[in-house]
Amino acid sequence: MKPLLIGGDWLRTSHGAGNVNPSDTADVIDTHAEAGIAETQTAIAAARDAAPAWGRSTPQERHDILRRAGDELLARREKLGRLLSREEGKILPEGIAEATRAAQILHFFAGEALRQTGELIPSVRPGITVEITREPVGVVGIITPWNFPLAIPAWKIAPALAFGNAVVFKPAELVPGSAWALADILHRAGTPPGVLNLLTGPGRVVGQAMLDDPRIDAITFTGSQATGARVAAARPGGRVQLEMGGKNPLVVLDDADLDRAVHCALDGGFFSTGQRCTASSRLIVTEGIHDRFVSRLADRLAALKVGHALEEGVEMGPVVSQDQLDQDLAHIERARREGGHLRTGGEVLRRQTRGYFLAPTLITGTEPAMTINREEVFGPVASVIRVRDYDAALAAANDTPFGLCAGICTTSLKHASDFKRKAEAGMVMVNLPTAGVDYHVPFGGRKASSHGPKEQGTHAREFFTETKIAYTAP
Ligand code: ADP
């Protein structure tokens, strides 16, 4: 059994839970300890005790730990990428790429630990100076989803540590293996006891106990809207950062490069099995290119090789679980009932191993008001909305409660510039898939997608530090 990490010690529990390979449900990968309320409270106390000394540690110490951990992740990226793909179901090249990305994030924040600055400003009053500095927040609770089992924990844990906070980390139930590997690496890289605590276990127990505990100063969460709403409700007015998915539009205009537009839809909508909060799930296409675009994309989707995530040549792995598969199928069925046309996909695929394989699915003839265009599916499913012109496309793109990412494929500078300005989303992509971002710049959305300061890049410090303004008279 893989243990919990609390106060610098590895602790076994009486209960454990297995993680299962979604490409092959006969493959039980490991057993992980399941924390309960008592372990959660002990971990929070350990973080509380460790926070003051860690807050006073030097930038060099924090840098060195993050640097060492990043180096190890990079050196072991093939093996860790394989574990990730086995556990989550994205194909091996994507698993390895994610492990590499997690290492890059650790390295970036190793640098950020050294780059911390303040400001010294002359007062408007004679002789007085004003210093503006950043201080750690204290104890940060980190709750993460299953779709990026290494990258999302890395982009929350690394800035938390770089800026001097102690961490209580609760990963998603489906992917404890990747989380455990990351915690183990950071632990061995020299994180002092109590500074990083790992609690594998059920969200409704461990996560909820974290939300309810006032000894945690801040919560950063990525996951569903329903759980995000719980986090917000548990901490009214508190320091909370929420990323809760999207219903991201990809607009394709008549003047788009067809090959590029099809590639953007394929990558944005279906790579990583469409299980990305930035997935291009609404394809908004103008009349002149609609039929050519749909036909080319449908052909590419029908030819996509779907199978075991670790098998050579497979282009799309399984969805993550039976629950997720059931939800995806229910969304497809509802879209058909509401008038959508199933252009390709929609069926469960049989392979040599028992896994959750769903054919990449394209639904055409949909309207913005249909459920398929309002609720996140989180699977290899995209819907097409046919529109008259750019203005109608922009209106449809913004007709959603979400606002994470919006994309446009066009060769018109005028429309690209207008879209960058008017798209109601935190991130905008021109001639690029909506999914696939850099790690050294901010990440995050608007409207129902996100709450609180952006993640990643130098902007990460907004959430992970408190600003202090000190006045000194001679
Ligand atoms: P997903 O659909 O991506 O699994 P969830 O919102 O259910 O989204 O899960 C995201 C994270 O939130 C997971 O780590 C999960 O364990 C955790 N979680 C689930 N329920 C709660 C809760 N009541 N309080 C805190 N965390 C929770």
Side-chain angles (χ1 to χ4, degrees), residues 97-331:
E98 185 178 335
T100 308
R101 169 58 61 99
Q104 290 165 332
I105 291 166
L106 294 187
H107 284 162
F108 176 82
F109 284 105
E112 282 297 276
L114 295 175
R115 278 189 291 268
Q116 290 174 56
T117 58
E119 293 169 71
L120 185 63
I121 295 171
S123 167
V124 291
R125 289 169 283 163
I128 294 172
T129 55
V130 186
E131 288 159 71
I132 305 174
T133 53
R134 299 269 181 168
E135 296 182 347
V137 167
V139 175
V140 177
I142 294 179
I143 302 177
T144 55
W146 49 260
N147 64 331
F148 284 93
L150 280 175
I152 294 179
W155 84 50
K156 293 179 189 292
I157 294 171
L161 297 179
F163 296 118
N165 302 286
V167 168
V168 178
F169 167 38
K170 197 222 87 67
E173 290 90 321
L174 293 173
V175 290
S178 303
W180 193 92
L182 181 64
D184 173 51
I185 289 172
L186 281 160
H187 175 63
R188 285 186 293 97
T191 314
V195 169
L196 174 65
N197 302 276
L198 169 72
L199 296 172
T200 42
R204 63 180 190 289
V205 178
V206 178
Q208 192 65 46
M210 288 167 65
L211 303 186
D212 294 341
D213 200 315
R215 293 173 298 172
I216 292 189
D217 300 296
I219 296 271
T220 175
F221 165 86
T222 301
S224 64
Q225 268 193 311
T227 311
R230 276 175 180 273
V231 179
R235 296 190 160 244
R239 185 174 282 263
V240 170
Q241 183 179 52
L242 307 173
E243 288 297 344
M244 297 168 289
K247 195 72 215 178
N248 311 291
L250 177 70
V251 169
V252 178
L253 297 185
D254 286 355
D255 61 25
D257 174 328
L258 183 61
D259 284 341
R260 184 180 277 256
V262 168
H263 173 75
C264 287
L266 186 71
D267 174 331
F270 298 89
F271 287 6
S272 295
T273 322
Q275 299 178 142
R276 298 190 279 190
C277 49
T278 48
S280 314
S281 52
R282 291 184 299 140
L283 308 173
I284 301 168
V285 189
T286 48
E287 284 171 353
I289 199 171
H290 177 276
D291 292 355
R292 280 177 295 142
F293 171 81
V294 165
S295 145
R296 186 84 69 91
L297 179 60
D299 288 349
R300 283 290 287 119
L301 292 176
L304 212 60
K305 191 166 177 216
V306 181
H308 195 299
L310 299 178
E311 197 182 305
E312 180 96 31
V314 163
E315 296 170 294
M316 196 183 92
V319 303
V320 75
S321 65
Q322 184 66 53
D323 276 359
Q324 189 63 52
L325 180 61
D326 292 345
Q327 275 180 49
D328 295 354
L329 291 169
H331 271 294

Side-chain angles (χ1 to χ4, degrees), residues 5-24:
L5 178 62
I6 299 181
D9 295 320
W10 293 108
L11 295 175
R12 285 188 170 65
T13 53
S14 52
H15 293 294
N19 47 340
V20 175
N21 182 347
S23 299
D24 176 4

